[in-house]
Amino acid sequence: MKNSLIVLLAFGFVAGCQVLDKTPLPSITPENFFQNADDAESALTAAYDALQQTGSYGQDLNVVGEMPSDNVTSTNGDVNAMERILWTPQTSQVNNVFQAAYIGINRANVVLNYVPNIQMDTVRRNQILGEASFLRALHYFNLVRLYGAIPLRLQPTESGENSVVNLAQSPVDQVYAQIVSDLQQAEQWTAAGASSPVRVTKTAVNALQTRVFLTQRQWAQALTAAGNVIDSDGYQLVPNFNALFPPENKPESIFEVQFAGNADGGFILPDLMLPSPPATYSFPKFNIPTNELIQSADTNRDLRWKFTGEVTSAGRNHASFVVSTSTNANDNGFFVYKWRSNPNAFNSPDNYYVLRLADVMLMYAEASNELNGPTQAALAPLNAVRTRAGLPVLTLANVATQQAFRVEVDRQRRLELAFEGERWFDLLRYARHEQASPNVDHPVTALDLIQQQRGSRDVNYLLFPFPQTEINNNALLQQNPGY
């Protein structure tokens, strides 16, 4: 899974006029490449490999999921536009995320288009198709949340012809319908009972379904999907929160992006966030935890934020963050500590959580509360996450109203998942929730931070602009309002 599908072309160099007598080398095309099961596996490996890209989970999806939020800050110019909500069609992350997602989509489309015609074991072929369907759904879900109505490409892009490149946007509802359809197919085809965060399983499909339905405010469907995850075998909360990090396919992990720690499959984000040492060298870091976040946590009792008693090469370990003392301002203060292995010069072997059980348990609690109000069924998973953090068990008297319960879920999602790339997506979801239901009040939404940074609650900044290069290349693409 660490390697892309690579086509090797051999070039023969010969002297004299005999070159004209050589038989032309055959070209490799999709039609003559997809011949057997190994070819199917290679294509799927390439689809997984797309998740490692800098524009995907290798860096930028985390940056856009955290930097605009109240979790982090930075003086680094590379992420300044994200923090200050000053992104434009030329902003690098705006371009990188869009481009990386469509590379991943195209690779998934290749699998879904060509693998059905390969003569191979039917069960394994269906599993491959299920995994590719999940990957396509994941990319489209990230895109639609960030850009809104987007081109819906369901066939491989195999030429640069205008008729292929020029594709109009599909409405948001249509994109979500495709995501739901892909996940339904993935649920049908992927293996039940398997518990492997390395590959897509039925549980991973159910976990992503939960996130999709929650984003659409389809509470009943989200509750069902989350319940399927919680009731599945093979996954459990890791008793010690600190042991969750760095991500290394722990029992709580449902799906994570795998990194090998080498030039072909290394993870660059840890080196961008850790102080030096252990990071390779000193420079203004990405995703510095905000003072407000640290102060809002119970650092005396909450095991996600309390000093563990361990002093590491990076400083005092507080599980979610580390406190470094250095005479160099770049390396002094708070730093993210959820990725902590030897960074290996921008090629860390640490993995990246996409879906883990605590996240799904909190989504279950949220969906249940929005559907039925506070109940013991909603409180149980919320308390499980709190208990693991060393916090006291809540009773229904503590969260007696739907609003009080909502506030507590929002708080626990922030404290549990801080720095894992979910905060801005949660804040976007909360803003949409308030727009759809005027009686709903989340403590903080994306619109609050947009107002803080820009001086007004400009709803246009709930979406990114389309990259200018895409506007230039696709004549049918219409720029999002406000850009």
Side-chain angles (χ1 to χ4, degrees):
M1 192 172 304
K2 304 292 186 180
N3 300 315
S4 302
L5 173 61
I6 303 173
V7 178
L8 299 177
L9 299 177
F11 294 91
F13 294 92
V14 294
C17 63
Q18 289 181 339
V19 68
L20 300 177
D21 300 326
K22 298 297 182 181
T23 302
L25 293 172
S27 62
I28 297 177
T29 67
E31 289 75 15
N32 64 33
F33 175 79
F34 289 97
Q35 300 296 315
N36 54 47
D38 287 343
D39 299 336
E41 299 288 356
S42 295
L44 181 62
T45 296
Y48 274 106
D49 179 76
L51 299 175
Q52 297 180 355
Q53 295 180 91
T54 299
S56 189
Y57 292 98
Q59 175 182 304
D60 286 331
L61 270 179
N62 183 275
V63 169
V64 303
E66 293 292 339
M67 281 306 307
S69 81
D70 47 359
N71 277 356
V72 298
T73 185
S74 178
T75 61
N76 191 303
D78 285 349
V79 294
N80 184 260
M82 286 293 111
E83 177 176 8
R84 297 176 62 194
I85 311 184
L86 293 174
W87 47 71
T88 72
Q90 288 79 29
T91 301
S92 61
Q93 291 87 0
V94 168
N95 179 77
N96 295 347
V97 170
F98 192 90
Q99 183 181 66
Y102 276 104
I103 289 173
I105 288 166
N106 198 51
R107 293 184 187 182
N109 283 342
V110 167
V111 175
L112 294 169
N113 188 65
Y114 291 105
V115 169
N117 298 322
I118 294 177
Q119 297 299 312
M120 60 181 292
D121 177 76
T122 302
V123 173
R124 180 58 194 149
R125 182 175 59 207
N126 287 345
Q127 175 70 29
I128 289 172
L129 295 174
E131 293 175 51
S133 295
F134 171 96
L135 295 174
R136 185 168 73 178
L138 177 62
H139 289 300
Y140 271 126
F141 183 48
N142 290 333
L143 283 172
V144 73
R145 290 185 294 171
L146 289 171
Y147 300 90
I150 51 176
L152 199 54
R153 297 187 181 275
L154 302 178
Q155 296 294 322
T157 302
E158 297 173 341
S159 85
E161 297 295 326
N162 287 338
S163 60
V164 175
V165 173
N166 292 335
L167 183 64
Q169 292 134 284
S170 295
V172 167
D173 288 348
Q174 186 176 337
V175 177
Y176 272 110
Q178 183 61 49
I179 292 167
V180 170
S181 175
D182 278 347
L183 291 176
Q184 288 173 339
Q185 288 282 34
E187 185 178 24
Q188 176 184 339
W189 283 331
T190 50
S195 55
S196 170
V198 176
R199 284 192 177 275
V200 174
T201 64
K202 195 178 299 294
T203 305
V205 176
N206 292 149
L208 185 55
Q209 285 174 326
T210 304
R211 192 174 284 170
V212 171
F213 289 135
L214 202 69
T215 301
Q216 294 181 289
R217 300 180 299 283
Q218 296 179 355
W219 313 119
Q221 294 93 323
L223 195 62
T224 298
N228 290 338
V229 174
I230 294 169
D231 294 340
S232 64
D233 296 328
Y235 300 93
Q236 59 186 5
L237 290 181
V238 174
N240 180 359
F241 180 83
N242 187 43
L244 269 173
F245 305 100
E248 293 175 343
N249 303 319
K250 310 287 173 62
E252 183 171 327
S253 181
I254 297 171
F255 183 64
E256 60 190 68
V257 179
Q258 308 291 310
F259 289 96
N262 55 43
D264 183 52
F267 187 29
I268 67 174
L269 192 61
D271 221 67
L272 297 173
M273 296 192 297
L274 288 168
S276 177
T280 308
Y281 62 94
S282 179
F283 58 91
K285 297 297 180 172
F286 290 18
N287 295 30
I288 300 294
T290 61
N291 292 331
E292 183 273 329
L293 172 59
I294 302 298
Q295 291 167 3
S296 72
D298 186 346
T299 54
N300 294 317
R301 183 172 52 176
D302 191 327
L303 298 178
R304 299 167 297 194
W305 300 88
K306 180 181 178 180
F307 177 46
T308 65
E310 176 191 24
V311 179
T312 72
S313 62
R316 290 166 52 94
N317 179 11
H318 291 247
S320 293
F321 72 105
V322 67
V323 182
S324 175
T325 56
S326 172
T327 57
N328 188 330
N330 290 334
D331 305 304
N332 184 66
F334 304 141
F335 297 89
V336 173
Y337 204 52
K338 288 191 170 182
W339 295 275
R340 54 185 74 161
S341 293
N342 182 350
N344 195 23
F346 293 97
N347 288 310
S348 171
D350 293 351
N351 293 339
Y352 189 99
Y353 287 124
V354 177
L355 296 159
R356 62 182 177 92
L357 184 59
D359 179 9
V360 177
M361 295 175 80
L362 291 172
M363 289 193 286
Y364 182 100
E366 180 176 346
S368 181
N369 179 59
E370 297 299 342
L371 186 65
N372 301 312
T375 64
Q376 286 294 346
L379 192 57
L382 177 60
N383 270 331
V385 173
R386 285 178 54 89
T387 300
R388 198 256 299 272
L391 301 177
V393 170
L394 297 177
T395 67
L396 287 177
N398 301 127
V399 283
T401 67
Q402 190 176 53
Q403 177 61 22
F405 198 105
R406 182 182 296 125
V407 169
E408 178 61 20
V409 171
D410 287 7
R411 173 174 170 78
Q412 291 309 316
R413 284 193 64 80
R414 186 184 187 192
L415 295 175
E416 176 73 23
L417 302 171
F419 319 130
E420 295 179 42
E422 290 303 314
R423 179 61 173 170
W424 183 246
F425 289 112
D426 278 351
L427 295 175
L428 288 173
R429 180 161 53 81
Y430 300 158
R432 298 297 190 193
H433 191 188
E434 287 189 356
Q435 289 176 322
S437 305
N439 60 322
V440 168
D441 182 21
H442 289 272
V444 181
T445 78
L447 283 172
D448 294 317
L449 297 183
I450 291 168
Q451 181 175 27
Q452 177 182 315
Q453 293 289 350
R454 300 189 58 82
S456 68
R457 299 172 72 83
D458 189 340
V459 296
N460 291 325
Y461 281 81
L462 293 175
L463 294 177
F464 279 170
F466 289 107
Q468 189 59 47
T469 53
E470 299 298 325
I471 295 291
N472 295 343
N473 291 334
N474 182 354
L476 299 181
L477 192 61
Q478 300 296 311
Q479 185 57 275
N480 280 329
Y483 298 102

